[in-house]
Amino acid sequence: MNLQFFIAVKYRKITFIVIMLMYLVGTIGLIIPSTQPYFKLASAFNLWVSLILLLFFHEDFNKSFIFTGIVIFCSGFFIEVLGVHTGVIFGKYWYGETLGTQLWNVPLVIGANWLLLVYCSAISVQNAFSIIKNKPFFSSVLIQSLISATLMVLLDLLIEPVAIRLDFWHWQNEKIPTQNFQAWFLIAFILNYILLKTKFRKTNSLAFLLLILQFFFFISLTVFHYFFY
């Protein structure tokens, strides 16, 4: 067991509590109008911290995983660059100032977000299906990738309205095109498939929790906005 993973295991409970509190406080901070501007500025920081903690609980930093992680990060980022500058992938959109430092009009944290979501969805789905014995259908990387991609699209359905309100990004006429979700599914499927085909130990005790927290975060903001605005 390497030192990084030994430390992660030793402080697992504390880490889980801290990250749950981080998302809870962030949700409340974005709901309250007077604190929302300050918590919007912390959005990128929250994503970077989430990814760092997720990787801290990763068990197998072999060359294949490191290469694949870089590929997913860069692919997600440069696809967004093409998307912003051409409008042909997701539709016509642009990023606001909320998500921090930008390169070619795309926040750098977007690469981290793609890696975070692909990793969490792929690992969570594969671990969930690993308990089903003697069912080749559920052990298929193709099927697992399709389900993981579907989870990411469901999450994006929740993210989009919130993203507009928080100045993460904006769509032309603030109308979210169906094309966006179709592209998300295709790209998510390809990246999930690549990750699941990469040979490394696919166990991470923080992955499922982070996936749940992402859904909790955006569901909470959506429900509050629907009932109170």
Side-chain angles (χ1 to χ4, degrees), residues 48-68:
W48 284 117
V49 170
S50 296
L51 179 60
I52 290 168
L53 289 175
L54 178 69
L55 294 177
F56 204 66
F57 278 82
H58 181 76
E59 297 183 24
D60 189 12
F61 281 98
N62 62 25
K63 292 180 181 179
S64 296
F65 171 75
I66 293 171
F67 177 75
T68 300

Side-chain angles (χ1 to χ4, degrees), residues 22-40 43 162 165-166 168 215-229:
M22 186 171 73
Y23 274 83
L24 178 61
V25 171
T27 302
I28 295 170
L30 288 170
I31 285 173
I32 300 171
S34 60
T35 59
Q36 188 181 96
Y38 304 103
F39 279 86
K40 282 170 62 176
S43 298
V162 174
R165 292 196 296 271
L166 296 181
F168 288 177
F215 274 96
F216 162 80
F217 179 77
F218 289 104
I219 288 173
S220 299
L221 292 177
T222 299
V223 169
F224 186 85
H225 187 271
Y226 179 81
F227 284 104
F228 296 99
Y229 283 88

Side-chain angles (χ1 to χ4, degrees), residues 193-227:
Y193 187 85
I194 291 171
L195 185 71
L196 288 171
K197 289 293 287 185
T198 302
K199 296 186 181 300
F200 64 92
R201 287 195 303 277
K202 297 178 178 69
T203 51
N204 188 316
S205 56
L206 192 58
F208 182 66
L209 175 61
L210 267 175
L211 186 64
I212 293 298
L213 288 173
Q214 290 282 327
F215 274 96
F216 162 80
F217 179 77
F218 289 104
I219 288 173
S220 299
L221 292 177
T222 299
V223 169
F224 186 85
H225 187 271
Y226 179 81
F227 284 104

